[in-house]
Structure formats: C-alpha cells, structure tokens
Amino acid sequence: MATKKIAVVGGGMTGLTAAYYLKQKIKEQQLPYEVTLIEAGHRVGGKIQTVRKNGFIMERGPDSFLERKTPAVKLVTQLGLTDQLVRNSTGQAHVLVRDTLYEIPSGTFMGIPVWESALTETHIISETGKERIQEELSLQKSKPMIDQSLGHFLRQRLGDELIENLIEPLLSGIYSSDIDKMSLMATFPQFFKLEQEYGSLIKGLRKTLPQDQASTGKKKGQFLSFENGLETIVEALFQKLGNDTCILGKPVKHIIHQDGAYHLELEKNEVREADAILMTVPHHHLPSIFKADSLFAPFMDIPVTSVANVVLAFDQSAIQYDQDGTGFVVSRNSDFRITACTWTDKKWPTTTPNGKVLLRAYVGKPSDQKIVHLADDEIVKIVLKDLAKVMNLAASPEFTMVTRWKQAMPQYTVGHVETVKMVRNEMKAQLPGVFIAGSSFEGVGIPDCIQQGEQAADDVLQFLASSYRK
Ligand SMILES: Cc1cc2nc3c(=O)[nH]c(=O)nc-3n(C[C@H](O)[C@H](O)[C@H](O)COP(=O)(O)OP(=O)(O)OC[C@H]3O[C@@H](n4cnc5c(N)ncnc54)[C@H](O)[C@@H]3O)c2cc1C
C-alpha cells in the first residue's frame, strides 16, 4: 500500500495534540501513514507562551487549564508530566463592582448562587436583586429555542443585577465577549438542559453539581499548570513529534484539490501534497486558504476580538495588598479599563522569586478595543492608574511585559453551533478528507482544544481507512 500523507496545519495546542495522537495511533496500528505538522510561526504552541526571566515564570497567553475537563490531564499523564504539575492556590476571589472590591461569595458556580447561603452575607447584590434571584426557583421553564444569547437566558431567569455585577465579569474573562451576544448553546448548553429538566437552573445546579464545584471557599484549586510554566506541555509534545514531523516558519498560503490529492502551497512556491488535512488555524484564515471553495465564507461572520495583557513585576516593598486572594475581575459598570487582574505570585507561588510581586492585568473589553493598539507605555500607564485605585503602589514596577493578541479571540455568538455544523456538512461533500478543529469551533479552553485535537485525529484515521476500502 502506498503511504498516505496527513497534513496538520497550525501548531497550537489543537494541532500539536492531533499530530501527537495521530503518530501514536499510526504506530500502534502499524498504518502506512505519514504525519506532517505545518506551522506559520518559528515556534509551536500558538497562544501558549511562557517567558522565563530573572527567576520569574510569566505567561503571555493562558496560565493554566481546568482540571475537571479530563482530556488535558489524560494527555499530561501520557506525556509523563504529572510530577511537574502545580495547582493554583485558592484564596478569596474578588469582583470589582462600581469601583468597590467585593469578595465573590462562596456557594456560587460561575457567579450563579447555587446555595441560599451565597446570597445572605454579600453586598454585591441589593435586597431587591436577591429577591429576584430567589424567584428563579419558582419560574416556569422557558420555551425551547435552537439558540439564544447567554445574557438573554440568564437575565430572564435571574434578573439583570446578578448578571451585571457577577456573572458577566466572570464569564467575559474567559470568552472576552459580550454576554448579550454570546451563544448559550455554544458556551453553556448545560444551563439550558438543567433548566429544562429541573424547571429551574438553580435547582438543576443543586442536584447535579459536585459540592466542590460550587465555590465553597475551602476547596482545593481547580486549575493546573507546570512548575516551569504552561509551555512545558508544548515543549514535551514538540520533543515527542520531533523535527522531522514539524515544519516551522512556513504559513500555508493556499490549498487546492487536484487529481485526487490536496496541494498545500507554502511560501516560495513550495508545494506539499496530502491525502487528508486537519486545519487548526483560526476560522477567519480558512476562506483565503481555500480560495476556490466559498463554503468557508460563513466563517467571516464569526467575529474575533483583540485583547492585551500586562505583566508587572515589583519589589515587595513597592506594593501593599492585604487582601487574601488571587485576583479580581471587573464589572462593566466600574470606571476601569482593565477587565481583570491576577495576583500571580499569590495564585502561582512558583512563578515569583522571594521578595517580589508579580501581577498580570488584562485589557480589551469588546467595547474598548482601541486600547490594544496603543503603545506599550500607554497601556502600562492606564493599567497602573487603574491598579492604584484598589492597591497601594508605592513605586514603579521593576519591569513590565505587554502582550497583544490581535484578532485572536473567537466570538461564539448566537447560532455558532449551527454555523460550524453547516460548514462541516458542506466540507464532507466538497472537501472530503479535510477537517477543522480548534478554539474557533468547539470550546476555547485548553482541555477543549485537546479534546478536539484527539477527536480530529480519530476522524482523519477513519476517513483514510474508509478511503482504502473504496
Ligand atoms: C491571553 C489569553 C489567555 C488565555 N487563558 C486561558 C487559560 O488560562 N486557560 C485556558 O484553558 N485557555 C486560555 N486561553 C485560550 C487558549 O489559550 C486558546 O483557546 C488555545 O490555546 C488555542 O489553541 P489552538 O491550537 O486552537 O489555536 P492557536 O493557539 O491560535 O494556534 C493556531 C496556530 O495556527 C498557526 N497558523 C495560523 N495560520 C496559519 C497558516 N496559514 N499556516 C500554518 N499555521 C498557521 C498559528 O501560528 C498558531 O500557532 C487564553 C487565551 C488568551 C489569548
């Protein structure tokens, strides 16, 4: 049998995972297939980037992954990295509402008060707002809909105040999105299922949530990283794949289907052939890569936003913050341009040398995109001005590091699941053997990307097996 060629385009977490599982399965099953990963940049890892400097371990992109979504832990175990895992320190999480820092009450899940005790002590919500939340328990379940905005669904159930003051700031930290445009079915379909099954979202969460998932204040950290930074997993995958598998620094410009094979055009007229292709690049790159195939045009309607973050390293003497905790998120009704701040040295003690303080602040809410395009020192100035409103900063940072992620955050707006499904159906008919996976499609979290990478590896192998049978 002639060797079949598989190309994985994009070497972020999704592409690396897919290439790793493909190679593993090909070896186990002794299949006559060859895998090549093609990455535009000169390094793999995509958004995962750790900078190790002066004893600090700093992240430009993600800092950790959620343990409870199992595909990540499974991959870490297979790579033999378990002994390098570190868990986030817990402590009181905070939310800044109308310029005041409040403790996020225990007994909440993604800001939703699961247990009655969550509401009794807190001043984040007014008494009227608390009564409105209690009413959720006796509301009728909503009429089934194909999709709706997460904001619409939650506002109807729980009232506006909880959304504005707690849920929105927590969720927009994950998706960098407007809650009133985000798709319920692409982000939290389980909320809808619970409401439909139990007649009340709160009742559903009470019935189904393991005790340790509703924020109790005493639980262990739910996030994992590595003692030498998150890029550890990228380095391990790259080592397993080897230089022979990975082509770096060569963006795929165009792909055409000709004479029963796909032709991938790289720079300087270099062309690679493949029998199956897994595309893990951001969705908005696909229409220009597959120029001849208008089936990817709907992806131009999936918006992308930009964000930036600033790492700030201080001497401990320069900064006082007494709050016990790991950081805060900022509600939209506060007069702040930062959207969140992680007290990194407290959340991840292994990142920071003794006697130093490490912070990371985030900017770029959907309504404040222009901040991402300012010069570094202007962004730092804005960040410091905001931080000074809640923390005592007695001296300037020893150094700062600004990272911009332009057009990097896919927006899962209403109808997202249907759009992706429709394009995939068209692909099956018009581009057999081409697959898509990654943060633009079925989840932005690292475990979601790992799961998609593993699933896509199986889909590619199944396609090739069936094409042999034909
Ligand atoms: C600031 C920030 C913080 C985050 N924090 C967290 C967090 O704490 N936890 C969490 O779980 N998730 C977090 N995320 C989300 C998570 O990091 C991403 O969703 C995930 O890393 C995306 O992986 P990916 O492989 O799908 O895409 P990417 O990492 O974007 O990889 C895509 C790759 O494709 C390459 N590429 C593009 N075009 C081409 C081309 N034409 N040819 C070849 N290659 C190409 C790119 O260079 C890139 O390497 C965060 C994201 C950001 C930006």
Side-chain angles (χ1 to χ4, degrees), residues 39-334:
E39 162 58 44
H42 291 279
R43 57 173 288 283
V44 286
K47 298 193 177 80
I48 300 178
Q49 289 184 32
T50 304
V51 176
R52 297 150 186 147
K53 177 181 157 183
N54 301 347
F56 290 92
I57 296 169
M58 299 170 289
E59 304 291 351
R60 288 188 178 277
D63 70 3
S64 56
F65 57 86
L66 202 50
E67 181 181 30
R68 92 174 107 86
K69 291 190 172 181
T70 52
V73 175
K74 179 178 136 189
L75 180 62
V76 167
T77 309
Q78 291 201 9
L79 292 168
L81 299 174
T82 316
D83 59 345
Q84 296 183 48
L85 283 173
V86 286
R87 185 182 292 282
N88 68 295
S89 309
T90 54
Q92 186 57 58
H94 294 80
V95 59
L96 195 83
V97 180
R98 297 204 168 81
D99 303 348
T100 304
L101 211 50
Y102 294 94
E103 295 184 351
I104 295 180
S106 56
T108 55
F109 177 73
M110 296 312 247
I112 300 167
V114 181
W115 311 109
E116 221 168 317
S117 58
L119 289 178
T120 38
E121 298 287 311
T122 185
H123 296 291
I124 299 179
I125 310 290
S126 68
E127 290 309 312
T128 323
K130 288 179 189 176
E131 279 166 25
R132 176 69 182 80
I133 295 163
Q134 286 300 331
E135 284 168 16
E136 201 271 338
L137 293 159
S138 46
L139 285 181
Q140 295 284 312
K141 70 177 178 189
S142 60
K143 285 205 180 89
M145 288 191 211
I146 293 173
D147 199 3
Q148 59 188 298
S149 83
L150 183 61
H152 176 259
F153 174 76
L154 292 174
R155 283 177 199 283
Q156 286 207 326
R157 304 269 351 146
L158 300 160
D160 290 335
E161 202 181 342
L162 182 73
I163 313 309
E164 300 297 335
N165 293 2
L166 196 51
I167 299 178
E168 195 279 335
L170 284 169
L171 293 185
S172 65
I174 303 171
Y175 290 95
S176 303
S177 296
D178 180 340
I179 196 165
D180 293 309
K181 294 187 180 151
M182 280 164 75
S183 154
L184 173 66
M185 298 317 266
T187 56
F188 291 95
Q190 71 272 32
F191 287 174
F192 185 65
K193 278 197 205 120
L194 290 176
E195 183 245 23
Q196 291 290 304
E197 193 177 338
Y198 296 94
S200 147
L201 176 58
I202 295 178
K203 277 187 199 160
L205 286 169
R206 282 182 187 166
K207 291 267 190 230
T208 55
L209 210 59
Q211 273 284 344
D212 69 340
Q213 275 189 36
S215 169
T216 61
K218 293 187 206 89
K219 64 190 189 305
K220 64 177 185 180
Q222 297 180 44
F223 295 94
L224 297 172
S225 183
F226 300 94
E227 55 197 10
N228 209 16
L230 197 58
E231 203 168 323
T232 303
I233 191 166
V234 169
E235 290 157 351
L237 282 165
F238 186 55
Q239 204 182 12
K240 293 266 184 212
L241 292 175
N243 278 325
D244 296 347
T245 302
C246 302
I247 299 175
L248 300 183
K250 295 194 177 177
V252 172
K253 300 269 183 201
H254 303 297
I255 299 179
I256 53 165
H257 200 191
Q258 211 172 39
D259 306 328
Y262 290 100
H263 298 255
L264 292 82
E265 207 180 297
L266 315 186
E267 277 173 335
K268 297 182 187 148
N269 299 326
E270 184 179 344
V271 177
R272 299 250 162 183
E273 267 194 22
D275 301 285
I277 306 177
L278 171 60
M279 300 300 297
T280 71
V281 304
H283 64 280
H284 53 291
H285 294 200
L286 291 166
S288 63
I289 295 178
F290 290 89
K291 248 201 319 235
D293 304 276
S294 57
L295 68 92
F296 290 111
F299 284 167
M300 293 317 281
D301 296 330
I302 300 179
V304 274
T305 56
S306 305
V307 290
N309 62 76
V310 185
V311 169
L312 307 106
F314 293 89
D315 190 77
Q316 215 160 38
S317 59
I319 191 162
Q320 280 172 6
Y321 57 131
D322 309 326
Q323 294 94 343
D324 157 41
T326 51
F328 61 90
V329 291
V330 181
S331 71
R332 282 192 293 196
N333 50 31
S334 298

